[in-house]
């Protein structure tokens, strides 16, 4: 949702009323679809949204009991613009509008001061850490260990294909761990188990679905991947910590089987519900269409 700012491409600029109408149309069409698609209102960030739009999103999210997902405090320019345009720092501004809390997921959260970090932790606002994107765009490195120590829920995200390129949770886990060790000059600052939790149960908490997802236990949905850790790049397999092996050595291609809600979607690296060749053709057709619109 974008209805403000000189840097928004003309093809993406909306007025607030049209943006809300389209968002409600999508919500009614997709929320709860197939039992597992969850809709979220998605104002891009304060820089490209009017206050009226943000307030309407807040109210509609409460009315429909939906998540709100937006980007926040990704780079210094964003912070400076929001301070100049709205009169306060980014997180303070969102908090003032009521756009913090357990049903709000904020991507990035790199350039936070101590007060903003405390607000996010105290309100239960969810943080989606996107390490590869933050490095590729030279945005900075978020203070993830500090946020975790304060009790904030931090999960792992990818940001998006243009600024991530692979959408690989294994690369994101490894990167999330390594950059903090370099930032704080401590090899133990991001334990492998903590990183795996960020990629699993913390992600479920971000979606307010920790009662159904994020861990393998009785009563939860059978959302499971099966990894083959016997490949050469994972050697040795004897006398090693399997959690460290998953976070630091495993790759996406090690996933042999994927099960979602008890249904096998991939078995022995073969997709069972998607035609790969058709998918590749669709992807190329769609990107050509999108480029032509910009």
């Amino acid at each position: 949702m974008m209805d403000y700012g000189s840097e928004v491409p003309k093809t993406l600029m909306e007025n607030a009323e049209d943006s809300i109408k389209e968002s409600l149309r999508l919500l009614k069409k997709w929320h709860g679809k197939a039992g597992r698609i969850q809709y979220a209102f998605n104002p891009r960030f304060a820089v490209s949204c009017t206050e009226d739009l943000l307030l309407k999103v807040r109210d509609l999210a409460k009315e429909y009991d939906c998540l709100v997902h937006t980007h926040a405090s990704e780079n210094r320019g964003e912070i400076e613009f929001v301070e100049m345009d709205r009169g306060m720092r980014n997180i303070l501004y969102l908090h003032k509008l009521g756009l913090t809390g357990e049903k709000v997921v904020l991507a990035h959260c790199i350039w936070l001061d101590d007060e903003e970090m405390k607000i996010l932790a105290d309100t239960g606002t969810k943080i989606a850490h996107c390490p590869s994107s933050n490095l590729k765009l030279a945005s900075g490195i978020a203070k993830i260990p500090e946020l975790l120590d304060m009790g904030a829920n931090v999960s792992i995200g990818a940001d998006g294909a243009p600024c991530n390129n692979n959408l690989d949770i294994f690369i994101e886990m490894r990167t999330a761990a390594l950059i903090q060790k370099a930032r704080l000059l401590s090899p133990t600052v991001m334990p492998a188990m903590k990183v795996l939790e960020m990629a699993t149960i913390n992600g479920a908490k971000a979606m307010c679905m920790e009662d159904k997802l994020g861990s393998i236990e009785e009563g939860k949905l059978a959302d499971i991947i099966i990894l083959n850790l016997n490949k050469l790049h994972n050697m040795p397999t004897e006398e090693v910590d399997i959690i460290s092996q998953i976070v630091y050595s495993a790759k996406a291609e090690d996933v042999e089987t994927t099960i979602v809600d008890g249904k096998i979607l991939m078995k022995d690296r073969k997709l069972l519900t998607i035609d790969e060749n058709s998918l590749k053709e669709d992807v190329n057709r769609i990107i050509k269409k999108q480029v032509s619109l910009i």
Side-chain angles (χ1 to χ4, degrees):
M1 306 172 79
M2 292 188 282
D3 71 334
Y4 179 72
S6 59
E7 296 185 6
V8 178
K10 290 181 179 180
T11 53
L12 298 178
M13 177 65 81
E14 308 167 293
N15 65 55
E17 184 178 350
D18 288 343
S19 184
I20 288 162
K21 284 181 179 178
E22 176 65 6
S23 294
L24 288 174
R25 184 188 72 80
L26 290 169
L27 180 148
K28 291 169 183 177
K29 180 177 180 179
W30 292 106
H31 192 49
K33 187 78 171 180
R36 61 175 179 265
I37 295 178
Q38 189 173 191
Y39 184 85
F41 288 96
N42 184 203
R44 188 187 176 203
F45 59 168
V47 171
S48 57
C49 295
T50 60
E51 187 163 303
D52 286 345
L53 179 61
L54 293 172
L55 290 172
K56 189 64 175 176
V57 163
R58 176 200 66 190
D59 295 341
L60 286 170
K62 290 179 181 177
E63 180 181 346
Y64 288 95
D65 194 26
C66 285
L67 296 175
V68 175
H69 170 54
T70 187
H71 293 201
S73 305
E74 182 178 358
N75 56 65
R76 291 176 177 175
E78 173 193 346
I79 302 298
E80 292 168 359
F81 180 87
V82 174
E83 280 192 291
M84 177 186 68
D85 199 56
R86 312 293 163 98
M88 61 187 72
R89 286 179 62 85
N90 205 9
I91 300 302
L92 294 177
Y93 177 65
L94 293 175
H95 186 54
K96 172 198 163 190
L97 299 186
L99 285 170
T100 52
E102 294 184 356
K103 289 256 177 178
V104 177
V105 183
L106 301 180
H108 308 301
C109 295
I110 298 170
W111 298 101
L112 308 178
D113 62 20
D114 292 343
E115 182 182 7
E116 291 175 304
M117 292 171 69
K118 188 174 188 305
I119 287 172
L120 296 183
D122 290 349
T123 59
T125 305
K126 312 299 172 49
I127 299 158
H129 177 42
C130 307
S132 289
S133 171
N134 298 159
L135 293 179
K136 182 182 177 185
L137 298 181
S139 300
I141 300 176
K143 297 178 181 178
I144 300 304
E146 293 92 331
L147 285 162
L148 291 169
D149 287 344
M150 295 174 74
N153 187 87
V154 183
S155 57
I156 293 181
D159 196 10
C163 45
N164 182 283
N165 298 80
N166 54 57
L167 310 180
D168 184 336
I169 190 66
F170 292 93
I171 289 176
E172 298 306 314
M173 281 195 292
R174 190 171 193 271
T175 304
L178 295 181
I179 59 176
Q180 299 299 333
K181 298 173 191 298
R183 181 177 76 87
L184 297 173
L185 301 179
S186 169
T188 61
V189 72
M190 284 284 279
M193 189 66 214
K194 180 61 66 177
V195 177
L196 185 62
E197 288 173 353
M198 288 167 58
T200 53
I201 189 64
N202 287 10
K205 290 176 180 176
M207 295 185 290
C208 299
M209 296 183 70
E210 64 269 31
D211 60 329
K212 298 178 180 178
L213 306 170
S215 58
I216 301 172
E217 54 186 302
E218 186 176 353
K220 289 195 174 184
L221 301 177
D223 280 24
I224 301 167
I225 61 171
I226 299 174
L227 292 165
N228 178 1
L229 297 178
N230 289 314
K231 298 179 181 178
L232 283 175
H233 62 265
N234 286 313
M235 291 291 122
T237 56
E238 300 293 331
E239 305 297 326
V240 298
D241 176 8
I242 192 170
I243 304 302
S244 290
Q245 194 176 19
I246 291 171
V247 170
Y248 291 110
S249 301
K251 299 180 180 181
E253 53 263 37
D254 295 336
V255 179
E256 295 200 332
T257 298
T258 301
I259 305 169
V260 176
D261 195 13
K263 181 179 180 180
I264 299 175
L265 302 184
M266 181 177 74
K267 184 177 182 181
D268 297 327
R269 298 292 299 165
K270 180 176 177 57
L271 298 176
L272 303 182
T273 63
I274 295 173
D275 184 309
E276 278 193 68
N277 291 327
S278 295
L279 178 62
K280 291 172 186 176
E281 291 175 4
D282 286 345
V283 167
N284 286 324
R285 174 181 55 79
I286 291 168
I287 194 61
K288 287 179 181 178
K289 181 180 178 182
Q290 293 303 315
V291 169
S292 68
L293 292 174
I294 296 176

